Amino acid sequence: MAKPTTLFVGLDSHKDFISIAHAEAYGSDPPVFVRAIGSRQADIDKLVRRLHSKASHLVFAYEAGPTGYGLHRYLAGKGEECRVVAPSLIPKRSGVRVKTNRRDAVELARLLRSGDLTSVWVPRIEDEAIRDVCRARDAARVTLQAAKLRLTSFLLRLGLHYTGRATWNDAHRRYLARVVCPTPVQQVVFQESLHAVDEQAERLAHLEHELVDLTPAWRLHPIVEALQALRGVQWLVAITVIAEHGDLTRFDNPRQLAAFVGLIPSGYSSGTTRRQSGITKTGNTRARRALVEAA
């Protein structure tokens, strides 16, 4: 018979295994390290059954990381309480210089029991899918900018400097079509660099076209449409901001929303000294960049 208690379970999650530790509620005993298990669903089911023999209520927690939200969704689908915590907001003891999977799991269980962990928002699968497309589009934009910079730097080194007012317009394209490098080998490099620019531009256009087609069926599409009523905000900025923020109702006030993208002033107070400086620039960088460009 399961005891009517709560067990706080820390999960140090990795690709192939998960280190487990748990701490009993309302107690001062240190957390107990269990062992490392595999990351398969069968291994997780076995762990849940074993822990339920110790307590009727389980509270799981693991750090947000490259493994995503699959573990959270699986445990939540089984009716278990699971939290994904922000790694940057986990309290760290300055005197500790040893980091192991065992220690991380034990520390998560201890902080989960004491209430010192900050949970992150877990998006729905469909919201995460739209966000993935937005981030793929942003990655293509960065890659395109790098390809353009490599090409222009290569031509500048050869003394082939374009003197027009704007680059990558029709006039610049006509100039590039007439470029002849000093040697055939350098001409090959130029043609490959130009091909890389065209390839990334085509990839970027394809992803933007996919976003236009996918957004109308998204549950947050009405918010994307409403956001475009603001001056300087068009569909690309609107969908980027909403895809990164998700459901705006999860913020209690505008200050929390501003803090999420690092658009609040940083401050320092000590004694009678109080000083405020520039924005914190913490949180979601993609949403902040889109908002700054719109402004």
Side-chain angles (χ1 to χ4, degrees):
M1 185 66 181
K3 299 179 182 179
T5 58
T6 298
L7 205 62
F8 294 98
V9 186
L11 307 175
D12 188 51
S13 178
H14 295 272
K15 180 180 65 174
D16 298 323
F17 62 91
I18 304 173
S19 298
I20 313 295
H22 61 71
E24 292 186 358
Y26 312 112
S28 58
D29 294 335
V32 177
F33 178 75
V34 181
R35 61 189 178 90
I37 65 171
S39 58
R40 301 175 304 171
Q41 293 181 356
D43 300 322
I44 298 173
D45 291 339
K46 184 177 179 180
L47 170 70
V48 171
R49 289 193 300 268
R50 177 180 177 182
L51 294 178
H52 268 302
S53 66
K54 300 177 180 293
S56 58
H57 182 216
L58 303 176
V59 181
F60 296 88
Y62 70 96
E63 296 182 32
T67 55
Y69 306 111
L71 180 58
H72 172 275
R73 291 177 179 138
Y74 182 72
L75 289 172
K78 293 177 66 65
E80 304 294 341
E81 183 179 351
C82 183
R83 303 173 188 174
V84 184
V85 301
S88 59
L89 299 180
I90 296 178
K92 304 291 185 182
R93 289 178 289 182
S94 60
V96 177
R97 291 293 183 269
V98 179
K99 181 187 182 303
T100 63
N101 299 325
R102 180 189 183 118
R103 289 193 175 207
D104 289 345
V106 170
E107 189 70 4
L108 281 174
R110 185 184 68 83
L111 294 174
L112 182 61
R113 179 175 61 182
S114 63
D116 291 328
L117 294 178
T118 303
S119 301
V120 302
W121 175 70
V122 179
R124 297 185 183 182
I125 295 179
E126 57 270 22
D127 297 342
E128 188 178 16
I130 294 294
R131 189 180 67 180
D132 287 340
V133 179
C134 288
R135 291 183 176 182
R137 183 257 164 206
D138 189 62
R141 176 191 61 83
V142 173
T143 306
L144 175 60
Q145 289 180 342
K148 289 180 177 179
L149 179 61
R150 282 193 297 269
L151 176 59
T152 54
S153 299
F154 175 73
L155 293 178
L156 181 62
R157 184 163 54 84
L158 298 182
L160 302 172
H161 178 54
Y162 177 66
T163 58
R165 293 185 177 180
T167 57
W168 303 108
N169 53 14
D170 292 340
H172 187 210
R173 286 285 184 174
R174 289 192 294 269
Y175 165 79
L176 292 176
R178 299 191 302 269
V179 166
V180 178
C181 297
T183 65
V185 176
Q186 291 172 323
Q187 188 71 24
V188 171
V189 175
F190 166 72
Q191 293 296 338
E192 289 298 323
S193 300
L194 184 60
H195 176 69
V197 171
D198 294 337
E199 186 180 66
Q200 293 303 321
E202 182 180 353
R203 177 173 172 237
L204 179 62
H206 174 70
L207 289 171
E208 290 181 352
H209 179 73
E210 290 293 331
L211 272 178
V212 172
D213 292 342
L214 293 172
T215 306
W218 189 28
R219 70 182 184 93
L220 298 179
H221 179 253
I223 305 178
V224 175
E225 291 290 325
L227 200 61
Q228 296 180 53
L230 298 175
R231 184 178 180 181
V233 178
Q234 295 184 355
W235 76 270
L236 191 57
V237 171
I239 193 174
T240 300
V241 170
I242 298 303
E244 295 295 337
H245 282 79
D247 190 358
L248 297 179
T249 59
R250 64 192 179 94
F251 299 103
D252 295 331
N253 51 64
R255 185 173 180 83
Q256 287 186 0
L257 179 62
F260 178 76
V261 291
L263 291 176
I264 58 174
S266 57
Y268 174 83
S269 297
S270 178
T272 59
T273 303
R274 183 175 181 270
R275 182 173 66 252
Q276 284 189 325
S277 52
I279 59 175
T280 59
K281 293 185 180 180
T282 59
N284 195 297
T285 57
R286 295 179 179 86
R288 181 173 66 252
R289 180 188 55 79
L291 289 171
V292 170
E293 288 185 357

